[in-house]
Structure formats: C-alpha cells, structure tokens
C-alpha cells in the first residue's frame, strides 16, 4: 500500500491527480484538466479535455473559444475520473460557476477550494462547507490586516459619492469577470436602477451573466453614450487597467473608484490614484479563511496562491498541520 | 474625533489641491471650538505628545498579536500606524460609549506619561474603528502626512472664513493651539489677537518678473538677487524685558531651530528682510562672501545642527530691507527712506552675521543689462529692481518691485523615460527624464540621465508628447515608460551642480522644458561635458 495521499501531488504548474493523470487548474496545457473557475490564472485553453461546471465552461468558451473537449459537471454531481478517483464539484461562492473540487479515493478525501469567499453574493451559489482530510485552500488575502466589510457599506459609500458628484461621473475599476457583475447586482439590490455605463471589455461577460440568469438591469456601453453629458451623474464600470488610461478622458469629470480587497490598505489605493476605495473582494478575508479551516476541520491544510506564510503561522499557532505549496502562475489579480 | 478621522481619510485619497482646500475649509466651518483648532494644529504638525512614540504603538500590538503575524502585516502595509489600526482586536463585548470629541482626545493624550500611555491608548483604541484608530495614532505620534503643508492648511483656514491668508500668517506664530483667538477673530468677528511682545512673521513683499520693456533707473534702484533663501529676522522684547529672535522662511515657517547662530545676533528689536547664505567664496566675490546654494542646502531642513556644521558652514544674512526698527514701523515709508535706515543700522550689527546687499550702480538701462549678462560668473540669480518710492506691501503688487532673472541656461537633451502625471494629468505621460551623451554618440557613447521636468509645455504639446511616448515605448516599469532615444528637448535651467546622487554626476536647478525639438536628431543633442563646464560649485 502506498503512503497516504500519495495519489495527489502538487507540482509548480498545478495539482496532479496521479492515478487518473488529471490536473486541477494547470497553468500549462495538459491532456485532462479539472477547472475550478473561469479566471485566467486558473482556466486556460488548450487542454485535451476540460471538466468544469456549465457556467465555467461557458465563460471559458467566451474567453478562449474552447469548445472541444468540454465536459460539463453540475454542482453536487460525482463522476469517476479513473484510477479509482471520484471528483465532485461543490459551490465555492467566488464567481459564477466557481467550484471547489472534492476528490475521493479509497476513503481519503481531498478538497481543492480554488478561489472562494463566504460573504453572500447574488451572482453565484454560496460556499458549501464539506468535511475532508486534506483541505487545499487559497490565501490571496492571507494576512490579518484584511477584513472585507459587509458589501452593503461599500455600496452605500459609492452611492453617496455619486450623489455628491452629480455633475461628473464615478468610474469604478472592477475585475471584468465576477466583480463587475456583483457590484452591478448589489447596486440594483440597493435600489439604484439608473443606466450603468460599461467599458467595452465588460460587455460580453455581463451578457453571459444575464444569459445564465443573473439580472443586471439597464446597461449601456460608454461608446454608445450619445454624449459626454449623458453620463453625468452615472456610474461607469471599467477594468482596473483602464482607470488611468486615455480611455477615461471621454468621461465627464470622473471620480476614480476601485472595487478590490486590496483597497483596505491606503498605500495600494494611492499607488493607483484611487480617490474612492471600495473594499469589495470575491476572495475570503483573513477571518473567513481561518473560520473556514476551523469549520472544515481537516487533518491537514495545504495553502496555496497568496500570502501562505501568515496562514501557515496561524495553523501552527492553532495546532493544525499545514504546509505551503509553491504553485506558479497565480498572481495578485486585480481582485 | 469621528469628523477629524473622516477628514484625514478623505485627504489621503485626494490629489487635487482645490479639493483638499475645500475639504479642510468645510471641516473648519462645520466643527465646534476647540476641536477645529486642534485639528488645524494636527494638520500643521503643531502638536507633540512626547509619551507616545512609534515604539509605544508597536509594544502595545505585541501584547495582542503574534509577532510573526505582526511583522508580516507590517511589511505588507508599510506603515506602523496603519497596520496597528487594522490589526487592533476590538473588545469582545463593546458596550456603546459616548464618542469622544477631538478636544477630549487631545486632553487625554496630553496627560499621558510613559507609564500610563499603554493602558490609556488601549482604552482609546477600543472605542474606535480602524479609520478612527488610524487618525488617533497619526495624531498621537505626530507626522500626519496626508499631503497637506502648513501653508495649505492656513490657506484653507483663510478660505473657510473669507479672510486674507496674509493676515492669518501674521497672527499664526503669535498663537498656540487650539488658536482660540484666531477663530474668534476670523469666524466670529472678534478683535484681532494681541500680538505685542511676540516675534511674529510679517508677510513678504514679492516681485513681478520683468517681462519686457525698459524701466527708468531714476525711478528704480537695482540690487543683486542672491541665490540663498529669503528670510525674515524678527526680534521682539516682551513686557518682562526678555528679547526673543525668530527666523522665518518665505512661506512663514519658523526655521529658527535650523539656524541657531542667528538667534542671538541681532542687538536691537527689528524686523529685517534678507537672504540667508552660508560662508564661502562663490557669491559676493571677495572674502566674506557666500557659498553656492548647494552648500546652503546641506543645512536646510534640519531640526538640530551639529557644532561641526555651525563651524564649517556658518550662516549669515545679507540684508535687503527693514520693516520695523526700534519701535518704528517703516513699511509705509518709501524704499529710499527704508534703505537709508538700513544703512544707518548696519554699523550696529555684527559683521560676522550680517552684511548689506549692495546696490548695483549703472549709467542707464542698457548698461544695467550688460552688467546683468556678466552676472553669470557671480553665481547669482539676477537683478532686483525696486521703485525708490515703493512702500513695503505684502505680496506682489504691480510696478513696485521687479525681478529680472538672468536668461536661463539652455541645453539640448534626449528624452529617456516618461511617467504619468497625477490629478488631471493622470492619463498623460507628463513627467520626463532626459539625458545627455557621455561622449561622441556616433562613436557608441551612451545617454546618462541629467534631469527631470514636467513643466514648460502647453496642453496641446502635452497631448503630442503623450502620443509620442505611447508610440515609442521600449519598456514599461509600472507607471514609467522607457522610450526610444529619439526626441530632443531644449531644457532651460538656472544652474548646474555636482551631485553624487546621479550617475552623470550633475544635477540641474529648476529644469523645465523650453522647447520641444521635433526637428532635431538625437545624436545632435549636447554632451555631459558641456553641462559639466557650467558647474560653479
């Protein structure tokens, strides 16, 4: 009999399920991949076969035009992937279609969270706490300085600034997949039903969300606005890279906002010239990370992509077995 | 205190000067006394709580958080106050408490001793959210640093209550936080503060640049414009017979502590206007002259001065004007009378610390122009032209005083790097680093950076420059782009000095872009050697 959990092996470019010769979120093309969600640092094209939730596959098709080899797996559905391994996709609460992947073999249970959060999000299914032996968790915001406030507070801040800046516009930098749609949905839930203007890079993903049943209200492209004046008093959404770009010159007196977990730290906001920081993240904050580990209560915690050191230290202090994985290709995204 | 915390937070994220002014003014108008006075003191770094140091905060955190988690967090955030404000563990069962006013917080901070500080601070932290704790720690440890200078805060005060900023400057140094008399006067129309016995600042008289045209030397007197820092020296004796001297900079900042050798040097009560210089041979020619500005720079910005510095680079003041002397206010008097008064005063002043800025005698304007042209060698900034009948008035008044700077030096440089600006210019590459050749460009010489400038072009030119940068980018480093070595700037600057900080070994003073030479090939730009020849250190 082989050593416990020898069938699962972290490599720099992904997690290898050895007996099934299948990879989770690999950063290079492989014969068969399980993909947790559609963000570029987890999903890429070129795999022989891609197993993911239907929504994630739709996102991947939009982004990488990957139709060949797509195998949809619904939440809760359990499939045999070979080598005696079963894989189950469970909601992760990160973005539309995002999943944790539960792998089971000979009574041993491993969960790979992908990216996740515990805060409520109207655009995706909530994280399911599931018992396991090895819990492989993300740690993007793995420092105790990161606490994401309730999103309602940040949305109120945004609407207050909008009312104070009625002559101009509020330009919100938000990641094009997930963050943008969540901000829109939360604005609608807060009773803001005005037209929201979009950067061109946001359009297709917003349409996909709507096709998947997430209502986003009245949206319009900035390039379709009849005049600069038409955008006075309006919220405009753009990818963070467009905030200080020439593109923003077409907006009426924009106040620069950014929706990101990094906005918790003043220096990060100032570096990017952000005047209105909105601490909105699709990742677990420190408190969510630590309470999730405690609730799942695994024998061992493996920590990946992000600030592994601090979370490792927390596990140590709380007498939990843990190790840090060094995976490549996962970077500070514009969360 | 909540309002002050919100103000600091808003200032952190604001880059526009006008918006900062508006934020501070709105705060000062809406908040009660004495809170707003304490806030003004905090913004102008007029508060000091010796019992609270950065280490006090760190030790406080160490009792509550694992040192490894603290160190990792501090490294990421980069600021002790902010890290502590984010990491402070709130009390488990916080009973609602009445919020503290800023004045109450200041009072409690003032009462702290090294022994009581930890417990008292912990209690204050428990009552606040992260934003409030950040403001509290910044206030307690000094150095709020939200991009607000003392001058900006005073301007905001003037704007809030529609009074003249010059008047605010006059009263400012006579008063102590929370500046009750200042608010009584500006906000409530009370009589202005009583300033007897206080060595206070009087606003400087400034000059217009002489654009073109001639002036008649029978109406105007000429003197050199020395390349030091403009200061005002004020000595006052109070009703107890104790004399105090202060040195003020052009912005009205009290810089007495930086130049202690001047504080006992003035034997009479007076307010004198002059140029602060350090001893050397570059300015003023013969023995007893002044060193170049570079030498003076070594002494600026220091809170304490070593005995060695005092000995090696002693400061003195080259006097221009007298505002008050032995009880007489000369400001309304014509310049020629003030000049005579100053000349009569000179024999009573120690020559070790004072000399007189000599008048430049010329037969006519053309003669003066020739003298000005030859001024390059004396390493001075140019000429001042003062109307012989001009009173001493605050600010820049037309036709009274002119400054006639030397024509700037010019050099052709090649643009090497461009960086995005801030505020309105944040989408344009508006800050340029340029270089000169370290040899013959046709024989493989390289460009070395010699300076950086972000002024001197029109909005239309800025658009063209931005386009050039985007189309000729070689590399990107965050907000900085390296561009193809193709575009030549004619750069204007006042002087050039040796510098160890730059690889080229030189640094320019006041470089600005004089002309964009779209037509000039890069290999025809100047060599470093040409710049080096202009060094007058």
């Amino acid at each position: 009999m082989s050593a416990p959990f020898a069938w699962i092996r972290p490599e720099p470019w992904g997690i290898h399920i050895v007996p099934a010769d299948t990879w989770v979120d690999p950063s290079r093309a492989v014969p068969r991949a399980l993909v947790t969600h559609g963000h570029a640092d987890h999903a890429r094209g070129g795999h022989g076969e891609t197993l993911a939730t239907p929504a994630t596959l739709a996102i991947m098709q939009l982004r990488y035009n990957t139709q060949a080899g797509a195998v949809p797996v619904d939440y809760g559905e359990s499939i045999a992937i070979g080598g005696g391994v079963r894989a189950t996709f469970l909601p992760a609460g990160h973005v539309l279609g995002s999943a944790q992947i539960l792998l089971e073999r000979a009574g041993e249970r491993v969960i790979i969270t992908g990216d996740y959060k515990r805060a409520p999000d109207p655009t995706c299914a909530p994280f399911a706490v599931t018992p396991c032996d090895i819990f492989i968790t993300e740690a993007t915001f793995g420092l105790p300085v990161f606490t994401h406030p309730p999103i309602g507070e940040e949305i109120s801040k945004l609407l207050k600034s909008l009312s104070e800046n009625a002559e101009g516009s509020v330009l919100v930098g938000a990641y094009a997949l997930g963050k943008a749609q969540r901000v829109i949905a939360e604005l609608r839930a807060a009773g803001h039903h005005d037209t929201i203007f979009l950067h061109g890079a946001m359009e297709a993903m917003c349409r996909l969300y709507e096709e998947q049943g997430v209502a986003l209200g009245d949206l319009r492209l900035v390039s379709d606005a009849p005049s600069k004046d038409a955008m006075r008093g309006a919220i405009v959404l753009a990818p963070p890279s467009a905030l200080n770009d020439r593109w923003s010159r077409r907006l009426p007196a924009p106040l620069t906002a950014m929706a990101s977990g990094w906005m918790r730290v003043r220096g990060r906001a100032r570096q990017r010239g952000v005047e209105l920081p909105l601490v909105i993240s699709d990742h677990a904050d420190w408190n969510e990370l630590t309470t999730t580990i405690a609730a799942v209560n695994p024998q061992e915690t493996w920590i990946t992509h992000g600030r592994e050191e601090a979370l490792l230290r927390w596990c140590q202090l709380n007498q939990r077995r843990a190790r840090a994985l060094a995976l490549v290709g996962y970077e500070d995204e514009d969360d | 205190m909540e309002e002050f915390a919100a103000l600091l937070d808003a200032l952190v994220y604001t880059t526009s000067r006008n918006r900062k002014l508006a934020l501070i003014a709105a705060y000062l108008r809406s908040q009660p006394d004495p809170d707003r006075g304490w806030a003004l003191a905090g913004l102008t770094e007029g508060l000091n709580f010796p019992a609270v140091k950065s280490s006090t905060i760190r030790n406080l955190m160490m009792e509550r958080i694992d040192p490894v988690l603290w160190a990792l967090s501090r490294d990421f955030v980069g600021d002790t106050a902010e890290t502590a404000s984010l990491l402070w563990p709130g009390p488990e069962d916080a009973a609602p408490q009445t919020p503290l006013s800023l004045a109450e917080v200041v009072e409690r901070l003032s009462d702290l001793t090294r022994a009581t500080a930890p417990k008292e601070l912990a209690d204050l932290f428990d009552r606040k959210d992260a934003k409030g704790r950040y403001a509290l720690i910044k206030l307690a440890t000094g150095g709020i640093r939200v991009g607000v200078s003392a001058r900006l805060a005073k301007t905001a005060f003037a704007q809030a209550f529609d009074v003249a900023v010059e008047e605010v400057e006059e009263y400012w140094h006579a008063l102590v936080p929370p500046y009750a008399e200042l608010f009584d006067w500006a906000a409530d129309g009370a009589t202005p503060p009583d300033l007897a016995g206080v060595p206070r600042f009087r606003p400087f008289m400034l000059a217009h640049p002489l654009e073109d045209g001639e002036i008649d030397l029978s109406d105007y007197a000429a003197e050199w414009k020395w390349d030091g820092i403009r200061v005002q020296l004020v000595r006052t004796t109070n009703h107890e017979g104790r004399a105090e001297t202060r040195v003020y900079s052009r912005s009205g900042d009290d810089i007495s502590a930086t130049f202690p050798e001047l504080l006992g040097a003035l034997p009479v009560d007076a307010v004198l206007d002059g140029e602060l210089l350090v001893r050397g041979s570059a300015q003023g020619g013969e023995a007893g002259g002044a060193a170049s500005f570079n030498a003076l720079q070594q002494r600026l910005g220091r809170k304490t001065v070593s005995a060695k510095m005092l000995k090696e680079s002693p400061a003195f003041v080259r006097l221009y004007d007298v505002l008050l002397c032995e009880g007489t206010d000369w400001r309304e008097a014509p310049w020629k009378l003030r000049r005579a008064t100053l000349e009569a005063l000179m024999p009573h002043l120690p020559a070790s610390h004072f000399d007189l800025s000599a008048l430049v005698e010329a037969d006519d304007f053309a003669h003066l122009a020739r003298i000005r042209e030859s001024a390059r060698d004396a390493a001075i900034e140019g000429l001042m032209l003062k109307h012989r009948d001009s009173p001493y008035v605050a600010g820049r008044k037309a036709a009274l005083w002119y400054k006639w700077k030397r024509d700037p030096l010019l050099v052709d440089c090649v643009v090497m790097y461009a960086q995005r600006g801030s505020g309105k210019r944040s989408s344009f590459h508006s800050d340029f680093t340029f270089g000169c050749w370290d040899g013959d460009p046709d024989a493989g010489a390289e460009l070395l950076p010699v300076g950086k400038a972000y002024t001197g072009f029109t909005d239309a030119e800025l658009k063209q420059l931005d386009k050039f940068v985007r189309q000729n980018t070689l590399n990107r480093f965050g907000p900085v782009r390296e561009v193809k070595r193709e575009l030549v700037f004619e750069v204007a600057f006042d002087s050039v000095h040796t510098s160890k900080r730059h690889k080229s070994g030189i640094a320019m003073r006041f470089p600005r872009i004089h002309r964009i030479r779209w037509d000039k090939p890069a290999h025809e730009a100047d060599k470093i050697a040409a710049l080096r020849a202009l060094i007058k250190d």
Side-chain angles (χ1 to χ4, degrees):
Chain A
M1 187 185 148
S2 58
F5 305 104
W7 52 279
I8 189 128
R9 190 179 300 159
E11 300 284 358
W13 49 89
I15 290 166
H16 194 195
I17 308 162
V18 183
D21 194 21
T22 299
W23 296 76
V24 180
D25 289 355
S27 56
R28 55 164 80 160
V30 297
R32 188 159 64 162
L34 309 181
V35 174
T36 58
H37 67 282
H39 278 145
D41 51 348
H42 295 260
R44 50 154 299 158
H47 304 312
E49 224 181 9
T50 304
L51 283 68
T53 61
T56 297
L57 288 172
I59 291 163
M60 289 178 73
Q61 192 196 328
L62 178 70
R63 291 193 145 185
Y64 314 107
N65 202 16
T66 51
Q67 206 159 15
V71 181
V73 186
D74 283 320
Y75 286 134
E77 188 184 337
S78 181
I79 57 164
I81 58 170
V85 181
R86 294 195 75 78
T88 312
F89 284 63
L90 304 164
H94 177 56
V95 298
L96 181 67
S98 69
Q100 323 170 55
I101 296 173
L102 166 66
L103 301 168
E104 293 169 284
R105 182 171 184 267
E108 294 178 332
R109 291 162 62 88
V110 175
I111 285 180
I112 299 157
T113 65
D115 292 337
Y116 72 97
K117 70 169 174 289
R118 304 297 304 276
D121 180 342
T123 69
C124 63
F127 182 92
V129 174
T130 310
C132 63
D133 304 306
I134 293 181
F135 188 59
I136 305 180
T137 178
E138 68 137 324
T140 306
F141 289 101
L143 272 180
V145 291
F146 290 111
T147 30
H148 309 324
I151 191 168
E153 288 177 15
E154 303 302 286
I155 295 291
S156 307
K157 238 163 71 178
L158 172 56
L159 289 173
K160 181 163 169 280
S161 289
L162 184 67
S163 66
E164 289 165 357
N165 199 34
E167 289 302 300
S169 53
V170 179
L171 170 61
V172 183
Y175 207 50
L177 164 55
K179 186 71 60 64
Q181 296 77 24
R182 181 176 175 215
V183 168
I184 296 170
E186 291 285 356
L187 280 166
R188 299 309 186 206
H192 180 78
H193 297 296
D194 296 357
T195 302
I196 293 174
F197 289 87
L198 299 180
H199 183 279
M202 301 269 180
E203 186 195 18
M205 197 57 72
C206 286
R207 201 183 304 130
L208 184 146
Y209 262 64
E210 297 216 277
E211 284 162 10
Q212 298 277 330
V214 180
L216 298 176
D218 186 21
L219 305 177
R220 185 180 285 193
L221 283 180
V222 168
S223 54
D224 290 345
S227 67
K228 214 176 194 177
D229 284 337
M231 293 182 281
R232 288 192 196 280
I235 291 175
V236 182
L237 257 69
S241 60
L243 285 187
N244 294 317
D245 192 37
R246 280 179 296 179
W247 176 84
S248 65
R249 292 178 204 164
R250 67 190 72 192
L251 305 177
L255 178 81
T256 307
M258 174 136 158
S260 159
W262 304 114
M263 294 298 107
R264 174 86 167 151
V265 175
R266 287 177 173 78
R268 283 293 186 113
R270 289 172 70 167
Q271 251 169 28
R272 305 197 65 142
V274 170
E275 296 160 289
L276 175 66
L278 302 170
V279 187
I280 300 177
S281 173
D282 286 333
H283 291 272
D285 67 8
W286 175 259
N287 196 36
E288 292 169 50
L289 289 169
T290 54
T291 54
T292 303
I293 294 172
V296 172
N297 196 21
Q299 286 173 30
E300 210 171 302
T301 304
W302 295 0
I303 304 161
T304 175
H305 53 287
R307 265 137 270 284
E308 295 95 348
E309 270 179 294
L311 203 54
L312 202 59
R313 175 70 178 172
W314 179 87
C315 289
Q316 235 174 46
L317 292 171
N318 290 275
Q319 281 87 45
R320 292 189 171 278
R321 285 175 62 171
R323 59 184 278 208
L325 311 182
L327 298 190
V328 294
Y330 298 117
E331 284 158 21
D332 284 4
E333 53 189 69
D334 279 328
D335 172 81
Chain B
M1 180 71 195
E2 276 63 30
E3 292 78 5
F4 181 65
L7 173 67
L8 282 195
D9 207 51
L11 288 171
V12 164
Y13 299 114
T14 305
T15 49
S16 145
R17 183 174 182 273
N18 283 339
R19 217 178 275 177
K20 280 182 187 173
L21 286 173
L23 283 168
I24 301 171
Y27 173 89
L28 293 175
R29 268 195 304 269
S30 66
Q31 294 304 301
D33 292 318
D35 278 21
R36 54 188 180 178
W38 291 120
L40 199 56
L43 288 174
T44 53
E45 309 208 348
L47 292 177
N48 183 24
F49 305 104
V52 192
K53 300 260 180 286
S54 192
S55 59
T56 320
I57 307 297
R58 200 171 48 243
N59 294 338
L60 207 54
M61 294 308 299
M62 285 305 142
E63 294 167 13
R64 284 163 179 81
I65 184 168
D66 175 65
V68 174
L69 292 179
W70 164 264
L72 290 169
S73 300
R74 169 67 183 72
D75 279 356
F76 181 85
V77 175
D79 178 280
T80 299
E82 185 171 4
T83 313
S85 75
L86 293 173
L87 285 183
W88 185 259
E92 295 286 313
D93 48 351
Q97 306 196 46
T98 43
L100 290 174
S101 71
L102 183 56
E104 287 168 312
V105 170
V106 168
E107 197 189 328
R108 287 180 66 165
L109 290 175
S110 308
D111 290 343
L112 294 182
T113 65
R114 295 286 275 278
T116 61
K119 190 182 169 300
E120 284 281 310
L121 283 173
D123 180 55
L124 285 170
F125 287 176
D126 278 348
R127 302 171 68 130
K128 311 217 160 293
D129 61 4
K131 202 189 281 181
R133 283 191 291 269
Y134 176 77
L136 182 69
I137 299 171
K138 287 288 180 189
L139 190 72
T141 54
I144 283 178
R145 289 195 196 91
V146 286
V148 176
S149 65
R151 172 77 185 178
L152 188 83
K154 289 172 209 169
T155 307
F157 178 93
Q159 195 169 301
F161 303 112
D162 201 19
V163 292
V165 67
E166 290 80 12
E167 236 180 313
V168 177
E169 297 271 21
E170 279 218 38
Y171 301 136
W172 186 264
H173 294 285
L175 306 171
V176 292
Y179 314 111
E181 302 95 321
L182 195 67
F183 282 95
D184 289 348
W185 158 70
D188 303 327
T191 49
D194 177 18
L195 302 173
V198 180
R200 66 192 164 86
F201 172 74
R202 273 82 174 175
F204 278 103
M205 178 158 180
L206 304 172
H208 272 285
L210 185 69
E211 300 291 353
D212 40 28
E214 291 193 7
I215 50 135
D216 187 341
L217 291 186
S218 59
D219 290 337
Y220 287 85
E223 64 185 312
W224 294 120
K225 188 175 184 333
W226 301 100
D227 194 10
I229 58 166
R230 184 100 178 265
V231 293
Q232 185 176 95
L233 216 66
V234 188
R235 193 188 108 142
T236 314
T237 305
N238 68 11
H239 56 82
E240 290 159 0
R242 198 177 64 85
E244 187 189 351
T245 302
R246 289 188 197 169
V247 185
Y248 290 108
S249 72
R250 219 194 85 168
S251 54
D253 291 321
D254 185 346
I255 53 169
S256 307
T258 312
F259 298 100
E261 65 262 57
L262 297 174
L263 303 184
L266 196 56
V268 294
D269 280 1
V271 178
L272 303 174
D273 180 346
E275 197 83 9
L276 189 147
L277 301 157
V278 300
R279 291 285 171 204
S281 57
Q283 301 192 62
E286 67 282 7
S292 70
F293 188 80
N294 228 22
L296 171 58
Q297 211 149 27
Q298 312 301 318
R299 289 212 45 190
L300 293 178
R302 292 174 188 273
K303 289 216 165 119
T304 54
V305 195
S306 68
K308 182 162 171 274
M309 286 207 121
L310 285 175
K311 188 159 170 284
E312 285 176 358
S313 312
F316 70 101
V317 180
R318 187 158 285 165
L319 294 169
Y320 292 137
D321 215 325
V322 54
L323 285 71
L324 279 83
C325 189
E326 295 187 302
T328 308
D329 189 338
W330 290 95
R331 284 181 288 181
E332 296 292 320
W335 173 85
K336 56 192 174 199
L337 205 54
R338 294 201 308 277
R339 177 78 193 183
T341 308
L342 185 61
E343 285 174 4
L345 179 65
M346 287 314 294
H348 304 285
L349 304 182
S352 53
H353 291 83
F354 297 97
D355 67 13
L356 183 66
S357 175
L359 297 182
V360 178
E361 302 296 344
D363 303 333
D364 52 29
F365 192 75
H367 183 206
L368 189 64
R370 286 197 300 279
I371 295 176
R372 169 175 161 271
E373 275 315 299
S374 67
R376 180 90 65 216
D377 295 336
I380 52 187
E381 273 193 84
L383 285 169
M384 292 294 297
L385 301 166
K386 297 179 175 175
H387 199 286
R388 295 175 193 273
D389 292 326
S390 64
Y392 193 99
V393 287
R396 265 184 198 94
K397 295 289 185 303
L400 295 182
W401 284 10
Y402 290 110
K403 56 183 170 194
W404 194 21
K405 282 203 181 186
R406 285 180 326 221
D407 288 336
L409 298 159
L410 296 173
V411 65
D412 285 336
C413 301
V414 183
V415 183
M416 301 175 71
Y417 303 94
Q419 187 171 355
R420 277 190 189 149
S422 58
K424 264 196 297 196
R425 282 175 160 193
S426 62
S427 72
F428 294 96
H429 293 85
S430 60
D431 299 9
F432 299 94
T433 301
F434 36 78
C436 288
W437 299 105
D438 66 353
D440 182 357
D442 296 322
E446 287 191 50
L447 283 169
L448 290 180
V450 296
K452 201 173 169 183
Y454 43 87
T455 56
F457 37 78
T458 64
D459 285 354
E461 284 173 331
L462 176 56
K463 274 190 187 164
Q464 284 177 296
L465 287 171
D466 183 62
K467 195 169 158 204
F468 168 83
V469 170
R470 290 171 192 277
Q471 287 172 350
N472 292 281
T473 299
L474 294 175
N475 274 307
R476 303 174 70 149
F477 314 95
V480 178
R481 291 185 187 220
E482 181 179 5
V483 297
K484 283 189 203 154
R485 310 297 159 71
E486 283 183 358
L487 180 61
V488 175
F489 282 165
E490 187 176 277
V491 176
F493 58 100
D494 284 6
S495 57
V496 61
H497 302 275
T498 51
S499 161
K500 293 194 189 99
R501 291 229 307 267
H502 301 90
K503 196 174 166 195
S504 60
I506 53 172
M508 295 174 172
R509 260 192 102 197
F510 300 133
R512 60 263 183 199
I513 294 156
H514 193 245
R515 266 199 306 167
I516 306 167
R517 295 295 304 268
W518 299 103
D519 56 314
K520 190 161 190 165
H523 68 266
E524 285 181 22
D526 280 305
K527 299 194 183 80
I528 301 258
L531 266 173
R532 217 169 267 140
L534 299 170
I535 293 177
K536 295 281 184 246
D537 280 336

